[in-house]
């Protein structure tokens, strides 16, 4: 079987996704807040040192995979618990694929480190005069540019790859390729949705940041509905070229 995914035409779909996210969140707010805090604290601590960044790349797909499995369970009307966060670790169906995804992520971290610390990539590329731009100088490096490019591409590739693996049983490389294609074909509604998220987060910060305890879990929950809006309930055929050819508006 092939996979079909939609090209979202209504750029205001983000409003529905956020409302749906709120619908999931409001029935288990404590659980979702606890799950979110666990992910933020765990990955935040790991990313404070270099080795931890590599470990975080392995850990993150399993935690996020657990979130999507829990969201899918909740959306089907089943009861959920905090331990659902670790549910991706218990399944042999996609454990290997999430591990492969983590290893690729480690490669991205390694490249990012090389770009920022090897002299070949860290030499100055441009200096702009103060007389023209009103400040002493602006510089950027080849490593900085390459780092932005690779991290942007990796972010796009990750947009849907984890739920494709855990909810549609896709192979890792297939999921990454489909994720990029689906993101690009739905760029405008996703762009508007991300603008909504930025505005929501900004508003949440105003009351001493307390609003983030609600807005961030809602955003997490809404990501499930972004995924299900774009991807149909179907089986992924793990042949990336065939899948990309079978794209339908």
């Amino acid at each position: 079987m092939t996979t079909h995914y939609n090209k979202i035409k209504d750029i205001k779909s983000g409003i529905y996704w956020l409302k749906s996210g709120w619908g999931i969140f409001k029935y288990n707010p404590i659980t979702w807040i606890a799950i979110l805090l666990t992910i933020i604290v765990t990955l935040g601590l790991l990313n404070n040192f270099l080795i931890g960044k590599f470990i975080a790349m392995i850990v993150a797909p399993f935690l996020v995979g657990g979130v999507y499995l829990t969201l899918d369970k909740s959306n089907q009307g089943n009861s959920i618990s905090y331990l659902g966060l670790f549910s991706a670790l218990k399944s042999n169906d996609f454990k290997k694929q999430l591990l492969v995804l983590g290893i690729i992520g480690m490669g991205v971290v390694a490249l990012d480190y090389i770009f920022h610390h090897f002299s070949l990539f860290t030499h100055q590329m441009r200096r702009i005069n103060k007389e023209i731009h009103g400040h002493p100088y602006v510089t950027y490096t080849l490593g900085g540019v390459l780092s932005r490019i690779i991290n942007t591409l990796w972010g796009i590739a990750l947009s849907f790859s984890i739920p494709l693996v855990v909810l549609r049983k896709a192979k890792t490389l297939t999921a990454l390729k489909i994720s990029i294609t689906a993101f690009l074909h739905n760029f405008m509604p996703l762009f508007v949705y991300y603008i909504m998220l930025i505005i929501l987060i900004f508003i949440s910060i105003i009351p001493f940041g307390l609003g983030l305890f609600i807005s961030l879990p809602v955003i997490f929950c809404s990501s499930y509905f972004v995924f299900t809006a774009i991807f149909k309930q179907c089986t992924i055929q793990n042949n990336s070229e065939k899948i990309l050819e079978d794209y339908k508006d």
Side-chain angles (χ1 to χ4, degrees):
M1 296 180 65
T2 59
T3 183
H4 300 279
Y5 50 95
N6 295 326
K7 182 176 180 180
I8 307 299
K9 298 179 180 179
D10 186 359
I11 62 173
K12 296 181 291 184
S13 295
I15 298 174
Y16 167 77
W17 297 332
L18 285 171
K19 286 182 178 179
S20 300
W22 167 254
I24 290 281
F25 169 77
K26 68 181 182 180
Y27 289 110
N28 296 278
I30 303 302
T31 300
W32 290 115
I33 290 173
I35 287 175
L36 176 66
L37 287 177
T38 301
I39 293 175
I40 291 176
V41 171
T42 301
L43 299 183
L45 290 174
L46 288 173
N47 278 286
N48 279 325
F49 52 98
L50 182 60
I51 299 301
K53 291 181 179 180
F54 287 96
I55 298 173
M57 288 297 104
I58 296 294
V59 172
F62 287 95
L63 295 182
V64 176
V67 170
Y68 274 100
L69 288 171
T70 305
L71 284 166
D72 190 55
K73 186 177 180 181
S74 177
N75 191 51
Q76 293 176 22
N78 299 316
S79 60
I80 63 170
S81 70
Y82 170 79
L83 293 178
L85 174 62
F86 309 103
S87 56
L89 289 166
K90 302 175 182 178
S91 175
N92 293 321
D93 293 340
F94 41 74
K95 192 181 295 183
K96 179 181 177 181
Q97 302 307 320
L98 292 177
L99 181 59
V100 172
L101 190 62
I103 292 172
I104 296 174
M106 291 175 68
V108 173
V109 171
L111 284 175
D112 190 65
Y113 180 83
I114 291 171
F115 291 156
H116 282 98
H117 293 85
F118 281 66
S119 59
L120 174 64
F121 300 104
T122 57
H123 65 278
Q124 180 179 308
M125 292 181 64
R126 178 178 294 177
R127 180 181 296 272
I128 304 176
N129 293 330
K130 178 179 179 180
E131 292 78 13
I132 300 176
H133 295 275
H135 43 75
Y137 58 84
V138 174
T139 64
Y140 64 93
T141 64
L142 176 60
V145 173
L146 293 176
S147 177
R148 284 181 177 273
I149 292 174
I150 192 171
N151 281 294
T152 298
L153 290 175
W154 181 238
I156 293 174
L158 283 179
S159 297
F160 306 113
S161 57
I162 294 177
L164 280 170
V165 168
V166 301
L167 299 181
R168 300 295 188 269
K169 306 301 186 292
K171 298 296 184 182
T172 303
L173 295 180
T174 299
L176 290 170
K177 291 178 181 179
I178 299 174
S179 180
I180 293 173
T181 305
F183 182 94
L184 294 177
H185 278 96
N186 289 281
F187 177 78
M188 279 309 299
L190 289 174
F191 177 76
V192 173
Y193 169 67
Y194 292 137
I195 293 296
M196 291 180 186
L197 299 190
I198 292 172
I199 295 172
L200 179 60
I201 290 173
F202 178 78
I203 294 173
S204 301
I205 292 174
I206 295 175
F208 305 103
L210 296 177
L212 293 174
F213 285 97
I214 296 177
S215 63
L216 291 181
V218 169
I219 289 171
F220 261 57
C221 293
S222 71
S223 66
Y224 172 80
F225 294 96
V226 177
F227 174 76
T228 55
I230 293 176
F231 292 90
K232 297 291 187 182
Q233 289 283 354
C234 60
T235 300
I236 298 291
Q237 177 187 22
N238 288 300
N239 180 324
S240 57
E241 291 184 1
K242 177 65 176 174
I243 289 173
L244 297 179
E245 288 174 0
D246 284 334
Y247 172 80
K248 294 185 178 181
D249 288 350

